[in-house]
Amino acid sequence: MADVQAPAVLDAVAALAELAPVGADPVRGGWSRHLLDDADRAMRAWFVRTATSMGLEVEADRNANLWATWRAEGATGKAVATGSHLDSVPGGGPLDGPLGVVSGLAAVSRLMAEGHTPAHPIRVANFAEEEGARFGVPCLGSQLLAGEIDTDRVRALTDATGATCAQVLEDGGYDPAAIGHDADRLSDLALYLELHVEQGCQLAPLGHPVGLATSILAHGRWRVTITGRGDHAGATELVSRHDPMLVAAAAIQAARARAVETAPEARARATVGKVQVVPGGSNAIASEVRLWLDARAEHDEEVRDLVARVVADVEGASAAEGCQVAVSEESFSTRVEFDGALTDRIGAALVPAFGDVPRIPTGAGHDAGILAAHLPTAMLFVRNPDGVSHSPLEGASDDDIRAGVDALTDALRALT
C-alpha cells in the first residue's frame, strides 16, 4: 500500500485507559475477556479501528488471530512481527496481554511519525485465546497457526456453557473447518518480538524499567476428575461416605508439598486454581469434583516427574476414600530458550537509552514461546513493582509503560 500521512503518535497509557471499561468483571473484580465473547469482540474492534486509522493493513487469519501490517514504500521480504493478546484470565489484570498489543501499535505510530523507512514490513499481532480461559487450552491461536494442536480436538472443545469451539468460531464469522496450520503466514514472518508486563518481581530489585527474556519454564495443565458417591450431608454416616471433596483437598495439598520437595534448581511450582464441584449444594456430599493442576519446572522431565508424584498422592487418597480418579493432560509446553542472536541484537539497540538491560527467565507461557520453535523470537518485559499478575492488582507505572514503548520502538527500528 502507498504511504499515508503519519498519524498522531498513539499514547499507550491513554489507550490502556480507553480499554479499561471493556470486560470489567463486577463479580470477580479485574477483567474477564474470553475468546469471542462480548468483551473480546469489543477489544478486537478497538484493534481494527485503531490500526485502520493508522493506515495499516488489517486482516484476520483463519485461526481468529488479528494482524495489522505497516508495509511502507520500499519495504520487502518477510515481516518483523510484534504484539501479544487481548484476552484475559477470569478476573485478570489490566496489562497481561493488552500492554503488548497496545505497545506494538504505539511503537509503529512513533516510527511512522519520526519518518522511519523500514526495509521490511512491520506486523502487529493480536493472538486469539492466549490465556485459554474459555476452552482450557492456552495459546490456542498461535498453536493453531504453528500446527501444534489437533484441529479436530480444538473444534470439539467446550466452554462452561457447553458451547463448542466450532460453534463459537462460526458465530464469530470464522470457518471452523478451515482452522489449523497456516504455513504460508508463518513463513512470511522473519521474527517475533513480544512485549509483556513482567510476571514476577525480578526487575524492581535491579532498578531497571525493562528487561529481556532468556527462557520459559516447561509447563502444562492436567484435568483431574474425582468420582465419588453423592449423598445427604446430614443423613450419611461418616464411615459410609465416598466423598471426592476429601480427595480434592488432598490433591491441592499434594501440589504444594511435591513442588516444595523438588530440588530448588528446578524452580518447580504446582497450583490448583480451578475446582468444579457436582452438584455443588451446601448440604450435599459431592458426587464428582473436577480440578485443574498447573505444573511448571525448568525442564520437561522435571514437570512430568512432579505431576506423577502428585497423581500418585491423589490416587492413594482416592483409594482410601473409595473414589475413582481420571487424569487427562490438556496442554504441555516444553522449555523454551529464546533466540540468543536476536536477543543480543535487541540488547545492543537498547544500550544508548537503557544501558545494559537485565536478562531474566520467566515462569509464564506466551505466544512467543509457541513461535520459538518456528522462527527467531524474543521478549521484552516491563517492570512490575510487586510482581503480581493474573490478578486485578497487576500493574506497572505510567513511566515504565512508556519506557517499554521506547524500548520496543528502538528494537523495531534496529530490526527493520
Side-chain angles (χ1 to χ4, degrees):
M1 63 176 285
D3 284 345
V4 296
Q5 183 176 357
V9 172
L10 177 68
D11 180 70
V13 173
L16 290 164
E18 179 184 351
L19 292 171
V22 180
D25 193 322
V27 177
R28 302 180 181 93
W31 290 264
S32 296
R33 302 155 171 162
H34 308 144
L35 179 65
L36 294 172
D37 66 5
D38 290 344
D40 186 49
R41 290 184 189 221
M43 297 290 282
R44 294 161 71 88
W46 176 90
F47 178 89
V48 171
R49 184 171 62 250
T50 303
T52 300
S53 73
M54 293 169 57
L56 307 184
E57 300 172 6
V58 183
E59 60 178 333
D61 68 20
R62 62 174 179 258
N63 295 309
N65 305 309
L66 297 177
W67 303 87
T69 304
W70 178 26
R71 205 179 305 277
E73 186 174 354
T76 60
K78 297 183 178 184
V80 170
T82 188
S84 193
H85 60 96
L86 292 173
D87 66 306
S88 76
V89 297
L95 301 178
D96 180 1
L99 177 61
V101 176
V102 168
S103 295
L105 293 173
V108 169
S109 76
R110 288 189 182 187
L111 293 172
M112 296 174 84
E114 73 181 32
H116 178 63
T117 54
H120 307 284
I122 300 178
R123 190 162 290 153
V124 181
N126 166 42
F127 285 106
E129 185 74 341
E130 192 271 353
E131 297 291 3
R134 185 161 190 176
F135 292 104
V137 178
C139 299
L140 188 58
S142 56
Q143 285 204 72
L144 285 167
L145 169 71
E148 294 197 0
I149 190 167
D150 180 75
T151 54
D152 288 337
R153 177 195 173 199
V154 171
R155 283 185 282 267
L157 292 170
T158 56
D159 67 9
T161 71
T164 66
C165 189
Q167 292 169 333
V168 168
L169 288 169
E170 188 170 12
D171 290 345
Y174 297 92
D175 179 3
I179 63 173
H181 189 201
D182 196 342
D184 290 343
R185 188 176 299 274
L186 193 61
S187 66
D188 192 45
L189 302 179
L191 58 90
Y192 178 68
L193 168 59
E194 182 168 353
L195 179 142
H196 205 280
V197 66
E198 182 188 12
Q199 295 172 296
C201 191
Q202 299 180 73
L203 292 175
L206 299 175
H208 283 266
V210 297
L212 283 162
T214 57
S215 60
I216 298 177
L217 295 180
H219 59 282
R221 297 180 190 177
W222 288 261
R223 180 173 61 190
V224 180
T225 303
I226 307 160
T227 305
R229 187 183 72 198
D231 219 326
H232 194 290
T236 309
E237 297 289 343
L238 296 179
V239 295
S240 301
R241 298 185 180 202
H242 304 286
D243 187 349
M245 284 293 282
L246 291 182
V247 183
I252 294 166
Q253 294 281 0
R256 172 65 70 87
R258 293 305 190 183
V260 166
E261 73 180 19
T262 304
E265 58 270 20
R267 300 179 64 230
R269 59 280 317 256
T271 308
V272 175
K274 179 180 178 180
V275 178
Q276 294 177 345
V277 181
V278 180
S282 60
N283 59 349
I285 300 168
S287 59
E288 182 179 274
V289 178
R290 293 185 292 270
L291 58 87
W292 281 260
L293 172 68
D294 180 299
R296 306 177 189 233
E298 281 286 357
H299 300 288
D300 299 9
E301 63 274 13
E302 292 167 338
V303 177
R304 298 287 188 191
D305 176 69
L306 172 59
V307 171
R309 286 182 285 125
V310 173
V311 169
D313 288 346
V314 177
E315 289 174 340
S318 178
E321 187 63 17
C323 294
Q324 294 79 46
V325 175
V327 180
S328 61
E329 181 180 298
E330 293 197 334
S331 67
F332 187 80
S333 298
T334 62
R335 174 184 169 84
V336 171
E337 292 281 350
F338 287 112
D339 189 273
L342 176 59
T343 302
D344 286 345
R345 288 179 66 190
I346 296 167
L350 301 186
V351 166
F354 294 94
D356 290 327
V357 172
R359 301 191 183 192
I360 58 176
T362 179
H366 301 281
D367 294 305
I370 300 298
L371 298 182
H374 304 273
L375 69 158
T377 61
M379 289 194 71
L380 273 168
F381 290 126
V382 172
R383 176 170 51 195
N384 184 335
D386 54 17
V388 175
S389 188
H390 282 190
S391 160
L393 299 178
E394 172 187 271
S397 71
D398 290 353
D399 286 345
D400 283 357
I401 289 171
R402 292 190 173 105
V405 177
D406 290 342
L408 184 58
T409 304
D410 290 347
L412 291 177
R413 187 188 300 109
L415 295 169
T416 59

Short mmCIF file of all heavy atoms in Angstrom, two decimals, residues 318-343:
data_model
loop_
_atom_site.label_atom_id
_atom_site.label_comp_id
_atom_site.label_asym_id
_atom_site.label_seq_id
_atom_site.Cartn_x
_atom_site.Cartn_y
_atom_site.Cartn_z
N SER A 318 -7.65 -41.30 46.94
CA SER A 318 -8.89 -41.76 46.33
C SER A 318 -9.21 -43.19 46.74
O SER A 318 -10.36 -43.53 47.07
CB SER A 318 -8.77 -41.66 44.81
OG SER A 318 -9.94 -42.15 44.18
N ALA A 319 -8.20 -44.04 46.74
CA ALA A 319 -8.42 -45.43 47.14
C ALA A 319 -8.89 -45.51 48.59
O ALA A 319 -9.79 -46.30 48.94
CB ALA A 319 -7.14 -46.24 46.94
N ALA A 320 -8.31 -44.69 49.44
CA ALA A 320 -8.68 -44.70 50.85
C ALA A 320 -10.12 -44.25 51.07
O ALA A 320 -10.79 -44.69 52.01
CB ALA A 320 -7.72 -43.81 51.64
N GLU A 321 -10.63 -43.39 50.18
CA GLU A 321 -11.98 -42.86 50.33
C GLU A 321 -13.00 -43.63 49.48
O GLU A 321 -14.19 -43.34 49.53
CB GLU A 321 -11.98 -41.37 49.93
CG GLU A 321 -13.27 -40.62 50.17
CD GLU A 321 -13.68 -40.52 51.63
OE1 GLU A 321 -12.82 -40.75 52.53
OE2 GLU A 321 -14.86 -40.24 51.89
N GLY A 322 -12.52 -44.61 48.71
CA GLY A 322 -13.43 -45.37 47.88
C GLY A 322 -13.94 -44.59 46.68
O GLY A 322 -15.08 -44.77 46.25
N CYS A 323 -13.08 -43.72 46.12
CA CYS A 323 -13.43 -42.93 44.94
C CYS A 323 -12.60 -43.39 43.75
O CYS A 323 -11.71 -44.24 43.88
CB CYS A 323 -13.18 -41.44 45.20
SG CYS A 323 -14.25 -40.72 46.46
N GLN A 324 -12.88 -42.84 42.60
CA GLN A 324 -12.13 -43.13 41.38
C GLN A 324 -11.54 -41.84 40.85
O GLN A 324 -12.13 -40.76 40.99
CB GLN A 324 -13.02 -43.77 40.32
CG GLN A 324 -13.54 -45.16 40.67
CD GLN A 324 -14.72 -45.11 41.64
OE1 GLN A 324 -15.64 -44.33 41.45
NE2 GLN A 324 -14.67 -45.95 42.68
N VAL A 325 -10.37 -41.94 40.20
CA VAL A 325 -9.67 -40.77 39.67
C VAL A 325 -9.35 -41.01 38.20
O VAL A 325 -8.91 -42.10 37.81
CB VAL A 325 -8.35 -40.50 40.43
CG1 VAL A 325 -7.57 -39.36 39.78
CG2 VAL A 325 -8.63 -40.17 41.88
N ALA A 326 -9.56 -39.96 37.39
CA ALA A 326 -9.13 -39.97 35.99
C ALA A 326 -8.35 -38.69 35.75
O ALA A 326 -8.78 -37.60 36.16
CB ALA A 326 -10.33 -40.05 35.05
N VAL A 327 -7.19 -38.81 35.10
CA VAL A 327 -6.32 -37.66 34.84
C VAL A 327 -6.12 -37.54 33.33
O VAL A 327 -5.80 -38.52 32.66
CB VAL A 327 -4.96 -37.82 35.54
CG1 VAL A 327 -4.06 -36.60 35.26
CG2 VAL A 327 -5.15 -38.00 37.04
N SER A 328 -6.31 -36.34 32.80
CA SER A 328 -6.07 -36.10 31.37
C SER A 328 -5.22 -34.85 31.20
O SER A 328 -5.42 -33.85 31.90
CB SER A 328 -7.38 -35.95 30.60
OG SER A 328 -8.13 -34.85 31.08
N GLU A 329 -4.27 -34.93 30.30
CA GLU A 329 -3.40 -33.80 30.00
C GLU A 329 -4.10 -32.88 29.00
O GLU A 329 -4.47 -33.31 27.91
CB GLU A 329 -2.08 -34.30 29.42
CG GLU A 329 -1.09 -33.18 29.10
CD GLU A 329 0.20 -33.73 28.52
OE1 GLU A 329 0.89 -34.50 29.22
OE2 GLU A 329 0.50 -33.41 27.35
N GLU A 330 -4.28 -31.62 29.37
CA GLU A 330 -4.94 -30.68 28.47
C GLU A 330 -3.95 -29.89 27.65
O GLU A 330 -4.27 -29.46 26.53
CB GLU A 330 -5.86 -29.73 29.27
CG GLU A 330 -7.04 -30.44 29.88
CD GLU A 330 -8.15 -29.50 30.30
OE1 GLU A 330 -7.86 -28.30 30.58
OE2 GLU A 330 -9.31 -29.94 30.35
N SER A 331 -2.77 -29.66 28.17
CA SER A 331 -1.75 -28.95 27.40
C SER A 331 -0.39 -29.22 28.02
O SER A 331 -0.29 -29.50 29.22
CB SER A 331 -2.01 -27.44 27.36
OG SER A 331 -1.86 -26.86 28.65
N PHE A 332 0.64 -29.14 27.17
CA PHE A 332 2.01 -29.23 27.66
C PHE A 332 2.91 -28.42 26.74
O PHE A 332 2.85 -28.57 25.52
CB PHE A 332 2.52 -30.67 27.73
CG PHE A 332 3.86 -30.78 28.40
CD1 PHE A 332 3.95 -30.76 29.77
CD2 PHE A 332 5.02 -30.86 27.65
CE1 PHE A 332 5.19 -30.83 30.40
CE2 PHE A 332 6.26 -30.93 28.26
CZ PHE A 332 6.34 -30.91 29.64
N SER A 333 3.72 -27.56 27.32
CA SER A 333 4.66 -26.74 26.56
C SER A 333 6.07 -27.03 27.05
O SER A 333 6.35 -26.92 28.25
CB SER A 333 4.35 -25.25 26.72
OG SER A 333 3.06 -24.95 26.22
N THR A 334 6.93 -27.41 26.14
CA THR A 334 8.30 -27.72 26.52
C THR A 334 9.05 -26.44 26.90
O THR A 334 8.63 -25.33 26.57
CB THR A 334 9.04 -28.42 25.37
OG1 THR A 334 9.08 -27.53 24.25
CG2 THR A 334 8.34 -29.71 24.97
N ARG A 335 10.16 -26.62 27.58
CA ARG A 335 11.02 -25.48 27.94
C ARG A 335 11.42 -24.72 26.68
O ARG A 335 11.71 -25.31 25.63
CB ARG A 335 12.27 -25.98 28.65
CG ARG A 335 13.30 -24.89 28.95
CD ARG A 335 14.56 -25.48 29.56
NE ARG A 335 15.63 -24.50 29.62
CZ ARG A 335 15.78 -23.60 30.58
NH1 ARG A 335 14.93 -23.57 31.58
NH2 ARG A 335 16.77 -22.73 30.56
N VAL A 336 11.44 -23.40 26.77
CA VAL A 336 11.79 -22.54 25.64
C VAL A 336 13.05 -21.75 25.97
O VAL A 336 13.14 -21.14 27.05
CB VAL A 336 10.64 -21.57 25.31
CG1 VAL A 336 11.08 -20.53 24.27
CG2 VAL A 336 9.42 -22.33 24.81
N GLU A 337 13.98 -21.76 25.05
CA GLU A 337 15.14 -20.86 25.10
C GLU A 337 14.96 -19.85 23.98
O GLU A 337 14.86 -20.23 22.81
CB GLU A 337 16.44 -21.64 24.88
CG GLU A 337 16.81 -22.59 26.00
CD GLU A 337 17.44 -21.90 27.19
OE1 GLU A 337 17.75 -20.69 27.08
OE2 GLU A 337 17.61 -22.57 28.23
N PHE A 338 14.89 -18.58 24.32
CA PHE A 338 14.71 -17.58 23.29
C PHE A 338 15.98 -17.40 22.46
O PHE A 338 17.09 -17.72 22.92
CB PHE A 338 14.26 -16.24 23.90
CG PHE A 338 12.83 -16.28 24.36
CD1 PHE A 338 12.51 -16.23 25.70
CD2 PHE A 338 11.81 -16.39 23.43
CE1 PHE A 338 11.19 -16.28 26.12
CE2 PHE A 338 10.48 -16.44 23.84
CZ PHE A 338 10.17 -16.39 25.18
N ASP A 339 15.81 -16.94 21.23
CA ASP A 339 16.90 -16.85 20.28
C ASP A 339 17.99 -15.91 20.81
O ASP A 339 17.75 -14.71 20.99
CB ASP A 339 16.36 -16.37 18.94
CG ASP A 339 17.39 -16.44 17.84
OD1 ASP A 339 18.16 -15.46 17.69
OD2 ASP A 339 17.44 -17.46 17.14
N GLY A 340 19.18 -16.45 21.02
CA GLY A 340 20.26 -15.66 21.62
C GLY A 340 20.75 -14.55 20.72
O GLY A 340 21.01 -13.42 21.18
N ALA A 341 20.87 -14.81 19.41
CA ALA A 341 21.36 -13.79 18.49
C ALA A 341 20.38 -12.63 18.39
O ALA A 341 20.78 -11.46 18.38
CB ALA A 341 21.62 -14.41 17.12
N LEU A 342 19.08 -12.95 18.31
CA LEU A 342 18.07 -11.89 18.24
C LEU A 342 18.05 -11.09 19.55
O LEU A 342 17.98 -9.85 19.53
CB LEU A 342 16.70 -12.51 17.98
CG LEU A 342 15.51 -11.54 17.99
CD1 LEU A 342 15.67 -10.44 16.95
CD2 LEU A 342 14.20 -12.31 17.76
N THR A 343 18.12 -11.78 20.67
CA THR A 343 18.14 -11.09 21.96
C THR A 343 19.36 -10.17 22.07
O THR A 343 19.26 -9.04 22.58
CB THR A 343 18.12 -12.11 23.11
OG1 THR A 343 16.95 -12.94 22.98
CG2 THR A 343 18.09 -11.42 24.46
#
